[in-house]
Amino acid sequence: MTQTTTARPTDRASGAVVPVLAFAGIVVAVMQTLLVPVVKDLPRLLDTSPSDATWVLTSTLLSGAVATPIMGRLGDLYGKRRMLVTSLAVMVAGALVSASTSDLLLMIAGRTLQGFAMGAIPLGIGLMRDLLPHERLGSAMALMSSSIGVGGGLALPAAALVAQHADWHTLYLGAAGLGALAIALTLLVVPESPVRAKGAFDLPGALGLSAGLVLFLLPVSKGGDWGWTTGTTLGLFGAAAAVLLLWGLMELRVPAPLVDLRTTARREVLLTNLASIMVGVSFFVVSLVLPQLLQLPAETGHGLGQSMVVAGLCVAPLGLTMMFTAPVYARLSARYGPKATLVLGLLIIAAGYGGGLGLMEAAWQTVVTSVVLGTGIGLAYSSLPALITGAVPASETGAANGLNTLMRSIGTSVSSAVIGMVLADTADTVGGTEIPTLHGFRVSFLIATAAVAVGLLLALFLPGGRPSSRLRLRASSEEEAHPERAETALRGLPGRGQDTAGAPVPADGG
């Protein structure tokens, strides 16, 4: 079992720590979203086939999935700020590579490096837990968790504006500049966490997990091109199942595993991670459907005929609402607990998609849908790190939140594949061009609603009651042998004397 050394240097953490870490998360989201306005033009821009051009997006997905749990564990072992800066530096290097080339292979290499930045989200959450006083922790983690949606929503109109009026490589230069600024601010403002897990890095575990994730996500992202029933697709899924099973058996035998599967199997952690997949599915559906609906020509009978920039502005409230939801979440969670806010968020998402089925006839209606969904997704995303952080030892915060972020990424990947297949199967062919139909958009919203229903069912089985009364404060083996060390370690958990949002609670948790 992992050992831990802890101390909470709250006197070293300035008021700028939260906005700087949230800015780093927004930068990561911008990197993911900046290509959306030029996706359809990539084959022409890179002088390649549409199938090969999709590797520019797939490479980032794969590297991000691999890097997220690994960087979280490295942060637990060697310092979360150090690994945060490393993630951002690799992203900047990748952005500069992509900015300097139109060669497909070099572009894929650059985008692969950019995917490593995904580790910044769980590392930022871990830093907040280690550095901030309890009364600030709830809203801070909520903002950090929501930053991926905030950045994505804000980046769409900005990237569209740049793509319309400048060379598309400028998008990468902008991402590199934002990444460099995030690194500088992090070094200036954010102190290093003193919390460390003792032990060696589990290299075989990292290689096994990486292989399993690549084997799984590759057919998820390329199955539409290859065919879902082809030998290649089915063979990769089978190989992924075998590799991940062997990896799990190996991790159970390692003293300091990359991912503590025993912790992951706990009811609160397991159900939260499964619910995270459903939230990820629901988040990505609106990002896929509304921009297409807005930009389709009015001549199609259901398209809204808006420009790329206007479409981005109509969807931007999704991210803005998620940002403004963070302080609301903190108050709700302090009173009712993160489980209740997760359930509330999922109910609002369901209402947003249900209402959205009839709000597809005007641009202002898409804005309403974006605001409602942003509120629900913001509450749901904000609840996830509090549920995870309150259920694992301080020494596993980075790795545990890294795994949770990975679950959300898997949800968005599955959503992209399924919704892409639905829109393709329901499209009309006009003049040799496939046009998404209103029926396809509505089926996509129904799929999102079904995913939310599954997530809601999972959330209802989470431990209830006030957070601090139900949390089991976890100690490592060293802390179990030395109660005085356990007291020091558990002092850093949000459930000791305070709930997971930072509000004081009675000693009996009542």
Side-chain angles (χ1 to χ4, degrees):
M1 180 70 72
T2 306
Q3 298 176 347
T4 315
T5 59
T6 63
R8 284 180 62 85
T10 53
D11 57 325
R12 297 176 57 205
S14 72
V17 165
V18 174
V20 167
L21 291 175
F23 175 69
I26 290 171
V27 169
V28 172
V30 168
M31 179 276 303
Q32 282 198 314
T33 311
L34 82 161
L35 271 187
V36 170
V38 297
V39 164
K40 64 181 183 300
D41 299 321
L42 281 178
R44 175 179 58 82
L45 295 172
L46 298 174
D47 191 23
T48 187
S49 67
S51 178
D52 287 343
T54 60
W55 285 105
V56 175
L57 303 176
T58 303
S59 59
T60 309
L61 163 70
L62 296 178
S63 62
V66 168
T68 299
I70 291 176
M71 296 305 289
R73 179 58 179 164
L74 288 172
D76 288 337
L77 288 169
Y78 305 117
K80 298 180 181 73
R81 187 185 78 154
R82 180 181 299 173
M83 291 302 111
L84 172 60
V85 171
T86 301
S87 296
L88 292 171
V90 174
M91 186 206 82
V92 170
L96 292 175
V97 169
S98 295
S100 64
T101 184
S102 294
D103 178 78
L104 177 63
L105 292 179
L106 285 176
M107 185 64 66
I108 292 173
R111 289 291 292 172
T112 300
L113 293 175
Q114 290 165 55
F116 277 84
M118 280 301 297
I121 305 295
L123 290 168
I125 293 172
L127 279 166
M128 287 175 174
R129 174 178 179 171
D130 297 343
L131 298 174
L132 297 178
H134 295 295
E135 63 270 13
R136 295 173 57 197
L137 191 55
S139 60
M141 289 197 305
L143 181 59
M144 190 71 200
S145 181
S146 299
S147 63
I148 194 74
V150 175
L154 297 179
L156 277 174
L161 190 63
V162 171
Q164 279 190 351
H165 297 94
D167 180 78
W168 69 290
H169 292 93
T170 307
L171 294 170
Y172 291 114
L173 291 175
L178 289 173
L181 178 59
I183 290 173
L185 291 174
T186 300
L187 292 174
L188 287 172
V189 173
V190 181
E192 180 58 276
S193 166
V195 179
R196 292 288 190 279
K198 298 294 185 181
F201 179 67
D202 178 19
L203 181 58
L207 294 175
L209 179 60
S210 299
L213 288 175
V214 169
L215 288 170
F216 172 72
L217 291 174
L218 196 54
V220 166
S221 59
K222 300 290 288 182
D225 295 330
W226 296 341
W228 293 104
T229 58
T230 62
T232 300
T233 301
L234 296 178
L236 286 172
F237 277 131
V243 169
L244 290 174
L245 176 61
L246 292 174
W247 169 78
L249 294 173
M250 179 181 69
E251 290 294 275
L252 291 173
R253 293 173 169 79
V254 176
L258 177 74
V259 177
D260 190 336
L261 295 180
R262 292 181 177 86
T263 298
T264 305
R266 292 173 188 158
R267 176 182 164 193
E268 55 267 49
V269 179
L270 177 62
L271 291 178
T272 300
N273 282 332
L274 293 175
S276 298
I277 296 176
M278 299 300 108
V279 177
V281 169
S282 67
F283 169 62
F284 210 63
V285 171
V286 65
S287 304
L288 289 171
V289 168
L290 290 190
Q292 294 191 66
L293 173 67
L294 285 158
Q295 292 182 71
L296 280 177
E299 291 76 15
T300 61
H302 59 277
L304 301 181
Q306 303 297 320
S307 69
M308 188 187 304
V309 174
V310 172
L313 290 172
C314 289
V315 180
L318 179 74
L320 289 172
T321 309
M322 290 178 68
M323 179 171 62
F324 292 124
T325 299
V328 176
Y329 156 79
R331 292 184 179 89
L332 291 174
S333 183
R335 182 164 186 148
Y336 303 107
K339 173 190 173 179
T341 54
L342 175 59
V343 170
L344 177 61
L346 290 168
L347 288 172
I348 294 174
I349 297 171
Y353 277 117
L357 290 170
L359 294 175
M360 295 186 177
E361 297 178 356
W364 68 266
Q365 295 178 354
T366 67
V367 174
V368 172
T369 300
S370 295
V371 170
V372 175
L373 289 174
T375 302
I377 295 170
L379 286 174
Y381 266 20
S382 298
S383 306
L384 300 176
L387 290 165
I388 292 293
T389 299
V392 301
S395 61
E396 297 178 20
T397 303
N401 277 295
L403 184 62
N404 182 255
T405 303
L406 172 62
M407 293 299 105
R408 287 190 250 173
S409 297
I410 289 175
T412 59
S413 302
V414 172
S415 177
S416 177
V418 172
I419 301 306
M421 180 175 62
V422 168
L423 294 180
D425 289 345
T426 58
D428 289 333
T429 302
V430 180
T433 302
E434 290 191 344
I435 305 296
T437 63
L438 189 61
H439 173 67
F441 292 146
R442 286 175 171 159
V443 170
S444 300
F445 270 32
L446 287 173
I447 290 172
T449 306
V452 172
V454 174
L456 182 61
L457 182 64
L458 292 166
L460 291 174
F461 282 95
L462 284 165
R466 290 188 64 85
S468 59
S469 68
R470 298 297 302 266
L471 287 179
R472 302 173 185 175
L473 302 183
R474 308 291 184 181
S476 65
S477 57
E478 181 182 16
E479 291 151 1
E480 289 167 353
H482 301 280
E484 71 283 359
R485 298 183 190 177
E487 175 67 25
T488 300
L490 295 178
R491 196 175 294 126
L493 286 172
R496 189 167 181 81
Q498 314 218 355
D499 69 13
T500 52
V505 296
D508 62 0

